[in-house]
Amino acid sequence: MSTSTLSFEFFPPKTTDGIEKLRENREKLAKFNPEFFSVTFGAGGSTRDRTMDTVLEIQHEGYQAAPHISCVSSSKEEIRELLQLYQTQGIKRLVALRGDVPSGEVSAGDFRYAVELVDFIRAETGDHFHIEVAAYPEFHPEARTPAADLLNLKRKVDAGADSAITQYFYNADAYFRFIDQCAATGINIPIVPGIMPIYNITQLARFSSVCGAEIPRWLKMRLEEYGDDIESLRAFGVDVVSELCETLQTWGVPSLHFYTLNRSTIISKIIENIGE
Ligand code: FAD
């Protein structure tokens, strides 16, 4: 039995059916006693109200909710208002991100990078919030160099980030080497691996090409081999991701953060496999 903690990430559903399904899946995942449930936020505040509704529902159910805030395209006034709302609602943890400007649009906000958001949150709200930021073991696609990306994380920590959640990866060595580099750079906060279960190869390939997470060749080829046999693909994916989680836990990760895509079955199997 491992001692690491868990957290789960959702996106804010759009439809009544989606809201209901998320409630059911949240209830199933709640039995694993997660430290918090986080809720994503669309760039430019496109999901602001839905993120807020989902966060408040989670909080009212008695769990700790951690809203994501992506700052690109937002004004300081909009972020200030959001922080005040979250403070009055008893939210204690935030995931602070830059976000991505939707293609074809130009950012017209007051923030360019996540570090500026972390600075702003600390200036406006002091130590009220535990601030999570994003980290990239395989490096952010826009990073000029790996060293520049690492320095960006260091700047976010110096600005007041308490912990980080990584982009997902399937190569544990990338994470271990990244953690070593962080330590050598003086980054001493917990860096929690983000875990992406495998539901579907097309969707995974699309996500990965956007966010720069590598699907190793052997894994991609094995997944492609399953073709339309989704059930076998998912069973294989459960094995692969369970093994990754076990390797990370044996190494001693502080926690595991699951990108749920608002589902629960596959994640429950993985967590049961790793003996949580
Ligand atoms: P930053 O830390 O600002 O870094 C962005 C890039 O800019 C990096 O390449 C960095 O090296 C570079 N950089 C930083 N400073 C400078 C500088 N001064 N000069 C030049 N380059 C610089 N997106 C959403 O829209 N909503 C979400 O809810 C959301 N949740 C996420 C949760 C997690 C755990 C993760 C890992 C990502 C999430 N994302 C989300 C995606 C994220 O917004 C994107 O990856 C985005 O492209 C970068 O965000 P960031 O906070 O890492 O940005």
Side-chain angles (χ1 to χ4, degrees):
M1 175 76 75
S2 160
T3 53
S4 66
T5 57
L6 303 173
S7 54
F8 299 110
E9 179 173 315
F10 304 127
F11 61 84
K14 279 192 182 138
T15 61
T16 321
D17 190 39
I19 293 172
E20 198 42 54
K21 284 211 173 91
L22 178 56
R23 278 185 195 132
E24 285 165 22
N25 286 328
R26 194 161 62 233
E27 203 181 320
K28 289 179 186 156
L29 293 172
K31 73 173 195 262
F32 298 112
N33 294 320
E35 199 180 358
F36 62 90
F37 289 120
S38 81
V39 184
T40 63
F41 185 90
S46 59
T47 61
R48 184 193 140 127
D49 291 346
R50 284 188 284 120
T51 299
M52 174 75 72
D53 291 346
T54 311
V55 160
L56 296 186
E57 187 174 325
I58 293 171
Q59 193 84 353
H60 291 150
E61 285 170 350
Y63 306 116
Q64 189 179 166
H68 294 206
I69 299 186
S70 68
C71 60
V72 74
S73 311
S74 293
S75 69
K76 285 191 175 166
E77 204 37 54
E78 284 164 336
I79 300 288
R80 180 175 290 126
E81 198 184 303
L82 204 53
L83 294 174
Q84 283 167 356
L85 271 167
Y86 284 140
Q87 256 188 312
T88 51
Q89 293 295 333
I91 303 293
K92 303 289 282 181
R93 184 186 286 257
L94 298 173
V95 185
L97 304 140
R98 184 193 71 174
D100 292 308
V101 184
S103 61
E105 289 181 26
V106 180
S107 165
D110 289 333
F111 303 89
R112 277 177 319 154
Y113 298 108
V115 64
E116 295 162 22
L117 176 62
V118 177
D119 248 340
F120 186 74
I121 297 171
R122 284 288 175 238
E124 292 283 315
T125 63
D127 287 336
H128 178 83
F129 293 107
H130 177 111
I131 303 178
E132 305 267 2
V133 290
Y136 300 86
E138 295 177 328
F139 307 108
H140 186 269
E142 289 163 42
R144 271 173 292 139
T145 61
D149 214 24
L150 213 64
L151 273 181
N152 178 47
L153 179 58
K154 173 86 166 71
R155 279 197 290 270
K156 293 193 277 192
V157 175
D158 292 344
D162 297 293
S163 48
I165 302 172
T166 76
Q167 187 55 272
Y168 66 88
F169 55 87
Y170 294 103
N171 179 355
D173 279 341
Y175 173 82
F176 299 144
R177 286 185 180 272
F178 180 70
I179 296 297
D180 286 348
Q181 274 187 299
C182 285
T185 314
I187 297 169
N188 295 316
I189 57 168
I191 300 177
V192 173
I195 306 293
M196 179 67 88
I198 299 173
Y199 301 104
N200 164 330
I201 174 73
T202 315
Q203 183 193 45
L204 186 65
R206 185 163 37 85
F207 285 166
S208 301
S209 72
V210 173
C211 73
E214 190 193 36
I215 311 175
R217 178 180 156 83
W218 67 268
L219 178 56
K220 186 164 174 285
M221 291 190 72
R222 288 292 307 274
L223 292 172
E224 282 169 353
E225 204 177 7
Y226 288 105
D228 293 335
D229 183 0
I230 288 287
E231 211 174 302
S232 304
L233 176 142
R234 289 185 178 166
F236 173 68
V238 166
D239 283 350
V240 169
V241 176
S242 303
E243 255 176 53
L244 172 66
C245 293
E246 275 167 352
T247 306
L248 293 167
Q249 286 184 320
T250 305
W251 184 85
V253 293
S255 186
L256 295 170
H257 179 81
F258 284 89
Y259 295 106
T260 70
L261 307 186
N262 291 7
R263 301 171 189 220
S264 65
T265 310
I266 286 185
I267 291 180
S268 299
K269 284 185 188 157
I270 295 169
I271 297 174
E272 277 152 17
N273 280 351
I274 62 177
E276 283 285 348

